[in-house]
């Protein structure tokens, strides 16, 4: 379904007429789950592209108001929930607008130790939130359960990635002791499209569709998706991540990136470029450990 500004203006006028006079502006974003529009100066409209992302609307509306006061950086606050209709068949959201830009693979912010410290502060604060009644995260399964799908992605990328060394890195990730403690709150998808930065600092974290309880290693994907080697060490130190958790985090980042590259390399250049960068970072890091 093609989502045009005229559709967004019509939805706002029909369901939230108090905002009907506000300008609507499309937002360029690398994500695939939602079409995002800026509404006036301080609001955003998020329209799910798929049935899966539509299910995230209720999750964000329930949990973001509870999480936000306990987090050290801004997150989107739901202002209104649109209902499905003839013009648009899925639930949708109006949220607060947050300033900043999405970082790119290997750009200046990725080398920032300040960004690394900010990310650690955010993740640790999220982990400390009371898990009572919280849902399982989108990535709540054990890392080892992704083995078959990860190897299938690797096979599909033969000749695209260094298969031998990437396979070795994945095998090393599976050698880490599994997570057996109580799960904690995670964001679940700390990738460039879901964080905002300015001047090498974190300004906001967005898109909580994957949030819930899981192995804390899941949020360590930020180390490879958002940071270069030096800043990565700053992040690890601030997180006080032990070897097992760090290794599982590397495995999560590698598995996600392999599946994304296999899926998006012919259809979504931005996502494919990010995924390829993550795989290269992990393989290079593994080579340096030898």
């Amino acid at each position: 379904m093609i989502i045009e500004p005229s559709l967004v203006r019509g939805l706002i006028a029909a369901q939230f007429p108090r905002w009907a006079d506000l300008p609507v502006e499309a937002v360029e974003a690398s994500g695939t789950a939602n079409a995002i529009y800026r509404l006036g100066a301080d609001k955003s409209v998020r329209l799910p592209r798929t049935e899966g992302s539509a299910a995230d609307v209720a999750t964000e509306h329930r949990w973001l108001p509870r999480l936000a006061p306990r987090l050290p950086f801004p997150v989107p606050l739901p202002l209104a929930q649109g209902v499905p209709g003839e013009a648009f068949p899925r639930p949708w959201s109006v949220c607060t607008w947050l300033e900043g830009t999405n970082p790119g693979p290997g750009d200046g912010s990725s080398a920032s130790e300040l960004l690394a410290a900010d990310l650690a502060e955010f993740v640790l604060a999220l982990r400390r939130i009371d898990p009572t009644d919280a849902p399982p995260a989108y990535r709540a399964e054990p890392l080892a359960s992704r083995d078959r799908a990860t190897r299938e992605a690797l096979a599909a990328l033969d000749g695209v990635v260094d298969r031998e060394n990437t396979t070795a890195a994945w095998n090393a990730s599976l050698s880490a002791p599994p997570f057996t403690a109580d799960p904690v709150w995670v964001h679940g998808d700390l990738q460039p499209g879901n964080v905002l930065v300015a001047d090498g600092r974190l300004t906001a974290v967005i898109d909580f569709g994957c949030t819930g309880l899981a192995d804390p290693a899941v949020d360590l994907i930020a180390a490879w998706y958002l940071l270069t080697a030096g800043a990565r060490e700053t992040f690890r130190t601030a997180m006080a991540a032990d070897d097992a958790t760090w290794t599982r985090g590397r495995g999560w980042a590698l598995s996600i990136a392999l599946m994304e590259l296999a899926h998006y390399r012919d259809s979504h250049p931005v996502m494919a470029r990010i995924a390829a960068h993550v795989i290269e970072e992990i393989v290079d890091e593994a080579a340096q450990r030898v």
Side-chain angles (χ1 to χ4, degrees):
M1 180 179 186
I2 299 174
I3 301 174
E4 299 285 356
S6 58
L7 170 63
V8 180
R9 283 191 286 268
L11 290 171
I12 293 294
Q15 298 192 30
F16 307 112
R18 63 189 180 277
W19 296 326
D21 293 334
L22 296 177
V24 172
E25 177 186 357
V27 176
E28 291 188 13
S30 62
T32 59
N34 297 280
I36 303 174
Y37 286 80
R38 188 167 186 172
L39 178 64
D42 59 357
K43 300 175 185 65
S44 65
V45 179
R46 290 162 52 86
L47 294 102
R49 298 184 187 275
T50 67
E51 291 302 320
S53 54
D56 299 337
V57 172
T59 298
E60 294 190 331
H61 276 257
R62 178 180 180 186
W63 289 105
L64 279 174
R66 305 186 193 192
L67 298 176
R70 297 167 175 82
L71 295 172
F73 295 92
V75 300
L77 289 176
L79 302 173
Q81 183 170 334
V83 298
E86 184 177 345
F88 188 75
R90 305 182 185 108
W92 51 282
S93 297
V94 179
C95 301
T96 52
W97 175 262
L98 298 172
E99 296 291 343
T101 59
N102 297 128
D107 68 9
S109 64
S110 66
S112 169
E113 295 192 5
L114 294 174
L115 176 59
D118 290 344
L119 287 166
E121 183 182 0
F122 173 83
V123 172
L124 289 170
L126 185 57
R127 285 185 187 178
R128 290 193 291 266
I129 296 175
D130 183 358
T132 302
D133 297 327
Y138 173 67
R139 294 180 170 122
E141 72 272 22
L143 180 63
S145 71
R146 299 170 65 89
D147 185 45
R148 179 176 177 178
T150 300
R151 293 186 192 278
E152 288 175 351
L154 254 169
L157 293 169
D158 192 25
V160 178
V161 301
D162 179 342
R163 188 169 178 181
E164 180 180 352
N165 287 320
T166 306
T167 300
W170 174 241
N171 290 339
S173 298
L174 293 178
S175 71
F179 179 68
T180 57
D182 292 333
V184 298
W185 274 103
V186 299
H187 175 276
D189 202 25
L190 288 174
Q191 299 199 34
N194 296 333
V195 303
L196 299 175
V197 300
D199 300 320
R201 301 298 300 266
L202 183 66
T203 62
V205 179
I206 60 177
D207 198 338
F208 279 72
C210 295
T211 197
L213 302 183
D215 177 355
V218 171
D219 274 347
L220 297 185
I221 70 170
W224 295 273
Y225 268 91
L226 296 166
L227 301 170
T228 54
R232 193 176 301 139
E233 287 304 313
T234 299
F235 178 70
R236 179 176 182 175
T237 299
M239 294 296 303
D242 60 35
D243 288 345
T245 306
W246 190 253
T247 302
R248 290 196 309 276
R250 186 188 300 116
W252 273 102
L254 182 58
S255 177
I256 293 167
L258 285 166
M259 292 185 200
E260 287 176 341
L261 183 57
H263 185 75
Y264 290 118
R265 69 188 180 100
D266 295 323
S267 62
H268 200 303
V270 175
M271 292 288 287
R273 185 169 67 253
I274 292 169
H277 175 79
V278 171
I279 296 165
E280 184 177 355
E281 287 286 297
I282 291 172
V283 170
D284 287 349
E285 184 180 277
Q288 293 172 10
R289 293 195 307 271
V290 174

